Amino acid sequence: MAYSSPFDMAPMDSDDEMSMAPVAFNPYSTEEEEQAPLMDIRSIDERMTEEETDTRTSTTIGRVIVAAVAIGAVVGVASQTSAGKSATSAAQSQLLGVGSGEGFCTTPSADDDQTTTYFKCPPGAYLNNTAETKKKKMERLVALQAKLKDMGYVENERSAYKAEYSDRGYATYESPVWLKPEECSTLPDEDWTSEYNAWYYQYQPDHAPSYITKQVYSEYNFEFHDNWKVASTSFSSYLPCEYGTFDKVSESESVTDGYMTAAPVRYPVSRFVSAVGELMERSMNHYCPAGYCGSSDSYDNETLWKLTHQTTWYPMMCNETKLVYNETAEHWMTVPDCEFDEDRFPEIVKAFVHDKKCNYYFYAAEHFVSQSAFVTQNDGCASDLDTVIRLEELDDGLAELAAKVGKVQSCDMGDSNSASNKPGGLPSESATMEILKQTPSLMKDICMIYAQDFICFDYELPSECEGLF
């Protein structure tokens, strides 16, 4: 199946992520007394020392300014000879993430910092990438950072906790080195954060959710990386039908030697719109992918209270935060009930864009994480991505994966759509899309936020964003 336009609102993933409950840690544990200060996450998962955090928050502005020169330096004077051309080509391929080699994740020293950049695509020869096409994409990403700097955007050192870009070998929008508006260094409610959330996530970390699992198909030597809001439920049905049993392993596990990796992607604007719908359902209707939200969805009587203080969009939707569990109906209810105000919907969409632009952390914010962060699911240096399945070209992508692993396709991937089961009363995805189209400044913000996804996964910019980067 394929879709004629990236703006087609395909009913592929309205019920993604059948289980979002964290395994290593629960972002919304209710073990403490109600509205007690949240836990210090550093006592749970020490992926980074404070010294490492300080190191990673050092400025990279100088690197951005000269990075375009640095990319060209890889193909510098040495290329004047045949031997030089061969050596340079290999070095360039490693730096850009095409083929194998450790060059992709080389950590820059103080001396060679100016010739290294983290602004590049996830590694791998997916979508027919070559060293030359990756170089052009890298140049666009570097130029974008220079443009952001000219716009007055800055690094946000407050978002550096658990940053993984230097180990992974490339930055994403969620990385602290990715420039953002200076205003984003201020949270929606600083007083509340200081009292209740001083030692927990305040900004979305720059990696796939720590509690996501990937599917490893040992019979065909490949693993599949879920990407939320990209037909997760449909893929979870299709892949076992096509490739048999699989092992669920943590996103932090290394890719087995000799195994290929595959991941789906989706037109960035459509994926953002789908995420907005997901968060509205969860917050207003208390409805999650598998049905009414419960403990398996990290949903409890503090969820709306936290959203009120961690976002700018929820207070526009509802000024109530009290959740009571209705034993008869068997689901949470807002007391008193909230009615959605259609007249405020444009403001609400604008607030959703703003909160992602600032990369704020809040309940289920993972649905807005860039796809460039989702596709890498291993600790340390990013493993090569072999196959990218674009949802708009689904049939071709599934056929490519089958051919690479030596399998004759025998299963069909159907649509997954549970919209008819939802409580309703909220704007449709097409209504959200229409607001973005009618407000060019918002559409441009979305394009800038997901620029890496547009560039790396070969998506054309909407007309509102033409010439933006």
Side-chain angles (χ1 to χ4, degrees), residues 234 237-239 241-242 394-395 398 409-415:
S234 297
S237 298
Y238 167 78
L239 291 168
C241 173
E242 193 70 78
L394 181 60
D395 290 343
L398 296 179
Q409 285 184 270
S410 58
C411 297
D412 293 323
M413 181 166 154
D415 292 352

Side-chain angles (χ1 to χ4, degrees), residues 7 17 34 137 277 353:
F7 288 114
E17 304 86 61
E34 185 175 355
K137 292 176 179 181
V353 174

Side-chain angles (χ1 to χ4, degrees), residues 163-175:
E164 297 187 1
Y165 67 93
S166 63
D167 288 342
R168 183 176 56 227
Y170 69 94
T172 67
Y173 189 80
E174 293 72 29
S175 301

Side-chain angles (χ1 to χ4, degrees), residues 10-286:
M12 292 296 294
D13 62 334
S14 57
D15 56 348
D16 280 354
E17 304 86 61
M18 297 300 289
S19 176
M20 284 183 55
V23 176
F25 55 88
N26 185 338
Y28 301 106
S29 173
T30 56
E31 293 178 2
E32 302 291 336
E33 281 188 16
E34 185 175 355
Q35 298 189 358
L38 302 184
M39 70 186 74
D40 183 348
I41 193 173
R42 294 176 301 178
S43 65
I44 301 177
D45 186 357
E46 288 291 347
R47 291 196 184 186
M48 284 173 49
T49 65
E50 291 185 5
E51 181 179 354
E52 289 173 328
T53 300
D54 292 340
T55 300
R56 290 187 183 183
T57 59
S58 62
T59 181
T60 60
I61 297 299
R63 180 164 62 245
V64 171
I65 296 174
V66 301
V69 178
I71 300 170
V74 178
V75 290
V77 177
S79 63
Q80 295 177 8
T81 66
S82 298
K85 288 180 180 179
S86 177
T88 300
S89 177
Q92 183 184 31
S93 294
Q94 290 179 4
L95 172 66
L96 299 172
V98 180
S100 59
E102 298 180 355
F104 184 80
C105 288
T106 299
T107 302
S109 67
D111 293 333
D112 64 9
D113 210 10
Q114 63 181 7
T115 62
T116 309
T117 181
Y118 291 111
F119 301 107
K120 52 190 174 183
C121 294
Y126 51 89
L127 299 177
N128 298 315
N129 271 317
T130 64
E132 183 61 28
T133 58
K134 276 288 188 74
K135 176 175 176 288
K136 291 180 179 178
K137 292 176 179 181
M138 187 176 183
E139 289 171 343
R140 290 180 69 188
L141 291 170
V142 169
L144 172 63
Q145 293 299 313
K147 180 173 184 175
L148 295 177
K149 180 177 180 295
D150 289 341
M151 293 170 61
Y153 284 24
V154 297
E155 292 183 28
N156 181 3
E157 296 185 0
R158 296 183 68 180
S159 67
Y161 181 67
K162 286 175 67 68
E164 297 187 1
Y165 67 93
S166 63
D167 288 342
R168 183 176 56 227
Y170 69 94
T172 67
Y173 189 80
E174 293 72 29
S175 301
V177 293
W178 200 287
L179 305 183
K180 300 176 183 69
E182 188 171 6
E183 68 187 64
C184 295
S185 296
T186 301
L187 296 165
D189 190 334
E190 292 286 359
D191 292 338
W192 180 90
T193 300
S194 178
E195 183 174 359
Y196 296 106
N197 199 31
W199 299 112
Y200 201 71
Y201 291 129
Q202 297 164 8
Y203 295 89
Q204 185 66 38
D206 72 336
H207 54 77
S210 300
Y211 41 87
I212 197 173
T213 57
K214 51 187 180 180
Q215 303 172 27
V216 179
Y217 293 87
S218 56
E219 184 176 352
Y220 293 94
N221 292 357
F222 82 95
E223 63 179 47
F224 182 82
H225 299 174
D226 261 336
N227 179 4
W228 289 352
K229 307 316 301 174
V230 188
S232 299
T233 303
S234 297
F235 276 110
S236 68
S237 298
Y238 167 78
L239 291 168
C241 173
E242 193 70 78
Y243 299 104
T245 58
F246 63 91
D247 295 319
K248 280 188 175 182
V249 302
S250 168
E251 59 84 27
S252 63
E253 291 291 322
S254 299
V255 177
T256 303
D257 289 343
Y259 275 48
M260 294 192 301
T261 61
V265 297
R266 179 181 184 181
Y267 192 71
V269 184
S270 298
R271 182 171 175 268
F272 174 82
V273 166
S274 182
V276 169
E278 173 102 3
L279 268 293
M280 288 196 299
E281 285 289 348
R282 288 174 180 256
S283 59
M284 291 294 289
N285 290 333
H286 323 305

